[in-house]
Amino acid sequence: KRRRVWMRRALLPLTHKVIVPSKRLEDLARDLWRLSPQKVERVPNGIDADSFERADGNPALRDELGIPASACVVGFMGHLRPVKNALRLLEAAAPIAAEHDLHLLLVGDGEERALLEARAAEADLEGRVHLVGHLRDPRPYLRTADLFAVSSDSEQHPISLLEAMACALPVASTRVGDIEHMLGEEQRPYISPLEDGAEGLGSAVQALASDPELRRRLGAGNAARVDAEFSLDQMIERHEALWRSGVEATA
């Protein structure tokens, strides 16, 4: 929005540092908000990975939800609004759901829930989509999944993706925000351009659904990547150093 851009151009140069969580915002800060490179610091989001358990199918919860033990469960976590485009995931899964016994487990709520419920009731997805709403603690549901999907039109550095990675889940995603950088090289074939639509995301889901060993290998790599690059301690340390530098600069 033009007014926001003007306000940021006027006010942000008066700060000591501008902290952003993603490379996308870093580029915007320099190119659109016209901040000097020295003014902008990128500090990626971090999580307490030790509080997440590795995905193991969570048989008790599958039984409660009516999901067969043998099914391949695709997890999704986010607000059900247009930019998250959960409908893209449903359309991606529909043509391959029966072949791969796919079940979609959607954690979150929002304005598009009724739309998703209507699509889920159609014959090609009937009984395969589980909308469980907003949850204070989604970790048991992440444990239930075999892979995680991001279907968004736009992201920055999503926490939900980090949490799925901490559970050692492989990921099928749209190519938005910092997701390519978060996931690393081996996951790149399963990140589809937005212009490929539901078909591109569906191809990534199909490739992962059909290969348990690939899922295991990618999931282990994702968990290791969170530990190495996106820990809560690393994020706190970087924020603390920046705040201390600001205090010293004004002392």
Side-chain angles (χ1 to χ4, degrees):
K1 294 183 178 180
R2 190 174 298 175
R3 182 179 295 180
R4 289 185 182 178
V5 171
W6 288 342
M7 289 182 64
R8 286 167 176 159
R9 287 178 181 175
L11 298 177
L12 291 180
L14 305 177
T15 64
H16 171 64
K17 292 283 186 182
V18 175
I19 303 172
V20 296
S22 71
K23 191 177 187 307
R24 168 69 174 152
L25 276 180
E26 184 178 29
D27 292 341
L28 283 175
R30 293 172 177 174
D31 299 338
L32 187 61
W33 307 342
R34 298 179 181 171
L35 295 173
S36 68
Q38 294 75 24
K39 183 73 69 174
V40 183
E41 292 284 345
R42 177 162 54 97
V43 180
N45 292 323
I47 62 167
D48 178 11
D50 290 339
S51 68
F52 290 83
E53 296 180 61
R54 298 294 177 97
D56 59 1
N58 200 345
L61 186 53
R62 283 196 181 207
D63 188 56
E64 181 182 325
L65 294 169
I67 299 175
S70 59
C72 182
V73 177
V74 183
F76 169 97
M77 190 160 60
H79 197 270
L80 303 182
R81 53 194 174 99
V83 72
K84 299 296 184 181
N85 208 338
L87 184 61
R88 176 185 282 127
L89 176 58
L90 269 62
E91 298 294 359
I96 58 174
E99 178 186 357
H100 296 284
D101 195 12
L102 293 181
H103 281 247
L104 307 182
L105 181 56
L106 278 63
V107 177
D109 215 337
E111 63 199 86
E112 291 205 321
R113 179 164 186 147
L115 173 68
L116 297 169
E117 288 175 336
R119 180 64 183 90
E122 295 182 23
D124 53 0
L125 286 174
E126 187 176 7
R128 295 184 177 276
V129 181
H130 310 268
L131 290 129
V132 298
H134 173 75
L135 300 169
R136 289 184 61 87
D137 184 3
R139 288 174 294 183
Y141 292 79
L142 285 174
R143 274 183 52 213
T144 306
D146 294 290
L147 64 105
F148 188 76
V150 179
S151 53
S152 303
D153 293 332
S154 177
E155 288 287 353
Q156 295 300 333
H157 198 278
I159 295 288
S160 61
L161 176 57
L162 293 179
E163 293 175 340
M165 292 167 68
C167 292
L169 289 173
V171 177
S173 176
T174 48
R175 186 175 294 147
V176 289
D178 274 21
I179 287 177
E180 263 191 307
H181 305 288
M182 294 169 70
L183 287 171
E185 191 65 36
E186 198 174 11
Q187 276 271 184
R188 298 282 164 83
Y190 314 101
I191 304 174
S192 61
L194 282 177
E195 55 266 28
D196 288 356
E199 185 177 349
L201 183 62
S203 294
V205 170
Q206 183 174 27
L208 294 172
S210 61
D211 193 336
E213 175 54 29
L214 175 65
R215 295 200 302 268
R216 187 205 63 75
R217 188 174 73 249
L218 293 179
N222 287 341
R225 195 168 176 85
V226 168
D227 287 338
E229 299 188 29
F230 304 116
S231 73
L232 182 63
D233 287 344
Q234 286 173 313
M235 183 184 73
I236 290 172
E237 287 169 6
R238 292 190 63 184
H239 275 284
E240 183 179 10
L242 286 169
W243 283 101
R244 289 188 182 279
S245 71
V247 171
E248 292 167 0
T250 57

